[in-house]
Amino acid sequence: MSATRRPIVSGNWKMNLDHFEAIHAARSLGLRLTPRAAAAVDVTIHPPFTDLRSVQTVVEAEGIPVSLGAQNCAIEDAGAFTGEVSPRMLARLHVTSVIVGHSERRRLFGETDELVAAKASAVVRNGMIPVCCVGETEEEREAGAARDRLAAQLAPITSALGPAVTGTVVIAYEPVWAIGTGRAATPDDAQEACRWIRDLVRTASGDQAADTVRIQYGGSVSPANTSSLMAGEDVDGLLVGGASLDAAAFVDIVTAAA
Ligand code: PGA
């Protein structure tokens, strides 16, 4: 956590909670989030597409201090792309950030580093912030190749966005072996990887971008490990999966990050 970059905590609901449950979850957040925590941290929630309109309506009507996010999007704004979800239409729903390149999309749906970069550009083109996920597998880490893997994932993104935009986005360091396993990275390992990412951004995009880009850690984040993870100088926030489905736990994470 740094003195200059505002913390950002994001809840990735993945393919959980139908729109009835999502309304309930958003209200539970509204009841629990204190003004103090909401003033100190950017909080985003990323429900499934089918929930977005319902959650948008509740968040706006009740003044719940969270921003709406999505989990994925198409690279085109409109056209003959059956089954895809347009970033332009997400922006029309007041979605402000979109996760791109989550490891589940890379691993299960074959998203390449280049496609992820194109998605990041599509999100920016529509006035939203991409939360660009990068992270190594366990085998890559054991082989000492983690930094190289992060570099390969980041390069197309920084080149597609350019230096000025890169400084405004969010990069999420999510080691694949830590996601949904209950085995979070140690605070030192999370900080080291976030530092690598900031150094890679510095090389590709310059000091301004490196000093302003916000870097999250994600992977088995819980209320118990939030403070120690956030202690890292280059860790600006958290991308939370499982624990974001429990409003009390998620608010504990936001409060500890504040
Ligand atoms: P997790 O998921 O917190 O359940 O490990 C994190 C993520 O996939 O973004």
Side-chain angles (χ1 to χ4, degrees):
M1 200 168 170
S2 85
T4 52
R5 293 180 295 269
R6 187 173 160 78
I8 176 164
V9 175
S10 302
N12 174 12
W13 294 3
K14 309 193 180 184
M15 199 171 71
N16 297 292
L17 307 182
D18 65 31
H19 74 288
F20 295 110
E21 295 163 332
I23 290 169
H24 182 75
R27 288 214 167 102
S28 301
L29 285 180
L31 288 171
R32 290 182 162 86
L33 266 180
T34 62
R36 198 188 138 270
V41 182
D42 286 343
V43 182
T44 73
I45 54 173
H46 301 254
F49 290 131
T50 51
D51 299 352
L52 286 174
R53 178 61 167 161
S54 307
V55 173
Q56 177 217 356
T57 306
V58 170
V59 163
E60 289 178 3
E62 301 182 12
I64 299 168
V66 301
S67 302
L68 197 55
Q71 301 173 14
N72 182 30
C73 69
I75 60 175
E76 306 287 348
D77 291 345
F81 303 102
T82 302
E84 286 293 276
V85 174
S86 154
R88 186 205 288 160
M89 296 177 197
L90 292 175
R92 291 274 286 153
L93 281 170
H94 299 178
V95 165
T96 59
S97 63
V98 182
I99 296 170
V100 298
H102 190 280
S103 67
E104 285 151 18
R105 298 229 45 96
R106 293 174 184 266
R107 186 166 48 87
L108 303 172
F109 302 99
E111 294 196 4
T112 62
D113 297 341
E114 289 67 32
L115 179 68
V116 172
K119 289 188 176 194
S121 294
V123 170
V124 168
R125 182 175 73 233
N126 284 283
M128 301 177 290
I129 296 173
V131 178
C132 309
C133 299
V134 295
E136 81 287 358
T137 62
E138 183 144 47
E139 298 72 56
E140 287 162 342
R141 175 157 280 263
E142 278 167 5
R147 193 178 190 280
D148 288 348
R149 184 68 195 111
L150 298 177
Q153 290 172 319
L154 274 173
I157 295 172
T158 51
S159 118
L161 298 181
V165 172
T166 297
T168 68
V169 307
V170 175
I171 297 171
Y173 168 62
E174 293 214 307
V176 176
W177 45 270
I179 296 176
T181 59
R183 196 157 64 88
T186 65
D188 285 349
D189 285 347
Q191 161 56 24
E192 179 180 54
C194 290
R195 166 57 60 93
W196 287 339
I197 290 170
R198 199 175 303 285
D199 288 346
L200 289 162
V201 169
R202 195 174 303 283
T203 304
S205 311
D207 287 342
Q208 166 80 18
D211 292 339
T212 57
V213 68
R214 290 188 291 178
I215 304 175
Q216 294 176 320
Y217 165 79
S220 298
V221 172
S222 70
N225 60 26
T226 294
S227 300
S228 54
L229 287 165
M230 286 295 294
E233 166 71 17
D234 291 288
V235 180
D236 304 315
L238 301 164
L239 180 52
V240 186
S244 73
L245 297 172
D246 174 344
F250 188 60
V251 170
D252 283 348
I253 290 169
V254 171
T255 307

